[in-house]
Amino acid sequence: MVKRIAIFGSTGSIGTQALEVIEANADKFSAEILTAYTNDKLLVEQALKFNPNIVVITDERKYEVVKDALSNTQIKVFAGEKALNEVALMDSYDLMLAAIVGYAGFQPTLNAIEIGKPVALANKETLVVAGDIVMQKAFEKKVPVIPVDSEHSAIFQCLIGEGRNKIEKIILTASGGPFLGKKPNFLVNVKRDHALQHPNWTMGAKITIDSATLMNKGLEMIEAKWLFSLHPDQIQVMIHPQSIIHSMVQFEDGSIKAQMGLPDMKLPIQYALAFPQRLPNTFPRYDFKKPSTLTFEEPDLRTFRNLLLATDALYKGGNMPCILNAANEIAVFAFLRNKIGFLDITALVEKTMEKIDFIETPTLDEYLESDAEAREYAASLIQL
Ligand code: NAD
Ligand code: MG
């Protein structure tokens, strides 16, 4: 049976790679729903190629162009944020690939879980915003949440066959990003275009900046806590600049399992779409015969203070990760527009975490309010 995939965020880095996986496995997958924020051209191109049942363009000003371009097809076209959320509630798909970036991906993902649809989760922010609510809902609805993030996919794969064996700890590997080894006196002058050059991965702009500031690894610690029901003490971050070991699990007997491979997001995407199956492919293989050294070092927390802030939020829990995430989204957005400097990202997040009221066990509404308040406050700190 062909698995009908709803790709939320089909025009992004993850979304386009997922479509390559679908194209290469057309007997196994079809694209049922495609959604984009503003990139009407690519959405139309994808729609004409993959013939989905539904497309959504979130930016309503683009509705007419998309509608016109697809007028000779059976494809249904919707626009706006409300439509995005409603389409997630439709029964016509089998699995959602949550590949929207940031908080915008939260509600559609929660909606998919609400109606019992398995989720392949790339959008880590969803778990950072309200991981307890998302995972509780997934538990209630018996919905698998399969990680797409390479580190979490690695851990997920290491846990296959381990049943109830206890995890002693997980070791999340981090490339260290383009500024590994640099100090604040260098980082203070870093500009957007430099920060957008990641050594090992080609990704969307937001996650590329998060990788350069190490906030990405912080968000991933929080993501791991919820995906694998871990205590913060069980989560260790190690810098591994070659990105060959994608993460590791250490069990109670001291045995460590790692998942390895060349850095290529199509692998975890394909794994999540096909789970529990593995599919053959022609992706390049890691070759042990080629000279290479795998190295590991501790992150420089004095320089990359975002990782400290995220660790604080991880331990504190409640709405603190949600606040951290909201402030970070505002800060990264401002940095990408050259409104603030690289180190200001951390300052903005820190100030926002200090300012917004802490709530230990927020309701969903309180999470959403915390997000809005944190955004507003963080934005108010930026000189426009
Ligand atoms: P991207 O910026 O390349 O793509 C984002 C997608 O989301 C696009 O399709 C865009 O149209 C859509 N989108 C953006 N803002 C939106 C909004 N307000 N409303 C509706 N749609 C919106 O991002 P990406 O690199 O593909 O990352 C997507 C998610 O996957 C992120 O949460 C990221 O952290 C995670 N992730 C990405 C990678 C990677 O290699 N790119 C790896 C691990 C995890
Ligand atoms: Mg990752």
Side-chain angles (χ1 to χ4, degrees):
M1 233 185 36
V2 171
K3 211 186 259 185
R4 297 163 302 174
I5 314 291
I7 307 183
F8 277 63
S10 66
T11 54
S13 161
I14 294 287
T16 50
Q17 293 181 83
L19 283 170
E20 287 178 40
V21 170
I22 291 175
E23 189 180 8
N25 298 278
D27 55 328
K28 299 210 164 51
F29 308 118
S30 68
E32 171 70 17
I33 299 172
L34 300 177
T35 88
Y37 186 32
T38 55
N39 193 344
D40 54 296
K41 261 180 104 174
L42 184 54
L43 182 66
V44 165
E45 200 183 293
Q46 292 177 338
L48 291 173
K49 182 164 177 187
F50 289 91
N51 195 27
N53 185 13
I54 294 169
V55 300
V56 183
I57 181 96
T58 307
D59 182 350
E60 298 186 46
R61 292 168 303 181
K62 301 280 179 74
Y63 174 72
E64 291 299 333
V65 270
V66 177
K67 181 85 190 146
D68 285 350
L70 299 178
S71 59
N72 289 332
T73 71
Q74 300 288 312
I75 303 166
K76 300 180 196 78
V77 180
F78 299 101
E81 202 184 307
K82 196 160 161 267
L84 189 71
N85 294 337
E86 284 171 4
V87 164
L89 290 169
M90 288 186 175
D91 198 36
S92 67
Y93 66 97
D94 300 310
L95 176 140
M96 173 188 281
L97 173 63
I100 288 178
V101 59
Y103 175 78
F106 175 75
Q107 194 62 50
T109 308
L110 193 63
N111 286 0
I113 296 172
E114 181 68 49
I115 59 160
K117 301 295 183 187
V119 172
L121 187 74
N123 178 279
K124 62 193 84 187
E125 294 91 347
T126 289
L127 289 181
V128 177
V129 168
D132 56 342
I133 288 185
V134 174
M135 294 313 285
Q136 178 60 31
K137 174 99 36 208
F139 178 76
E140 278 167 24
K141 304 281 177 183
K142 299 191 171 58
V143 165
V145 178
I146 308 152
V148 170
D149 213 346
S150 56
E151 296 77 2
H152 305 75
S153 176
I155 292 162
F156 189 82
Q157 293 179 54
C158 290
L159 290 174
I160 302 289
E162 294 296 343
R164 292 176 188 274
N165 285 334
K166 263 206 195 147
I167 298 172
E168 194 164 83
K169 69 173 178 184
I170 63 162
I171 299 137
L172 281 180
T173 51
S175 71
F179 305 134
L180 178 61
K182 300 291 192 233
K183 296 292 168 199
N185 61 357
F186 174 90
L187 294 177
V188 71
N189 295 316
V190 156
K191 290 283 175 289
R192 144 187 215 280
D193 291 343
H194 192 181
L196 282 172
Q197 307 293 320
H198 194 279
N200 304 349
W201 303 94
T202 312
M203 312 177 284
K206 195 253 176 185
I207 184 175
T208 304
I209 302 303
D210 284 346
S211 300
T213 65
L214 289 204
M215 180 57 93
N216 183 50
K217 213 47 55 180
L219 300 178
E220 289 183 354
M221 291 173 83
I222 299 166
E223 180 186 15
K225 166 185 159 165
W226 293 118
L227 281 173
F228 308 113
S229 307
L230 299 171
H231 186 272
D233 289 337
Q234 292 171 288
I235 306 171
Q236 183 184 358
V237 170
M238 285 305 285
I239 304 290
H240 166 49
Q242 300 81 18
S243 298
I244 298 298
I245 292 187
H246 299 309
S247 277
M248 302 178 251
V249 180
Q250 180 173 315
F251 294 94
E252 280 188 306
D253 57 358
S255 180
I256 299 170
K257 278 177 148 182
Q259 187 266 340
M260 305 171 71
L262 289 174
D264 181 351
M265 282 310 294
K266 277 199 287 193
L267 185 51
I269 291 169
Q270 171 181 300
Y271 185 80
L273 297 188
F275 176 78
Q277 246 187 303
R278 287 188 185 273
L279 302 180
N281 61 41
T282 55
F283 307 161
R285 266 51 173 167
Y286 181 68
D287 182 359
F288 279 95
K289 284 185 272 182
K290 287 201 183 131
S292 66
T293 313
L294 302 185
T295 61
F296 304 90
E297 60 188 273
E298 288 214 67
D300 173 1
L301 296 176
R302 273 175 202 238
T303 304
F304 296 94
R305 289 183 52 250
N306 271 352
L307 194 51
L308 274 184
L309 294 178
T311 305
D312 272 359
L314 168 75
Y315 274 90
K316 199 139 195 218
N319 61 344
M320 204 45 88
C322 173
I323 295 167
L324 167 102
N325 177 68
N328 182 58
E329 285 191 25
I330 295 291
V332 171
F333 189 79
F335 175 74
L336 284 169
R337 272 150 198 77
N338 298 313
K339 303 274 190 212
I340 64 172
F342 189 80
L343 294 178
D344 299 332
I345 298 174
T346 308
L348 220 76
V349 173
E350 187 167 34
K351 282 188 189 146
T352 309
M353 287 170 73
E354 282 163 8
K355 175 76 178 182
I356 306 300
D357 288 337
F358 177 64
I359 308 173
E360 197 163 348
T361 45
T363 61
L364 179 56
D365 283 342
E366 284 170 332
Y367 276 121
L368 305 188
E369 282 159 23
S370 298
D371 173 87
E373 277 175 42
R375 269 167 210 279
E376 196 178 328
Y377 182 71
S380 77
L381 298 173
I382 299 165
Q383 317 271 317
L384 293 174

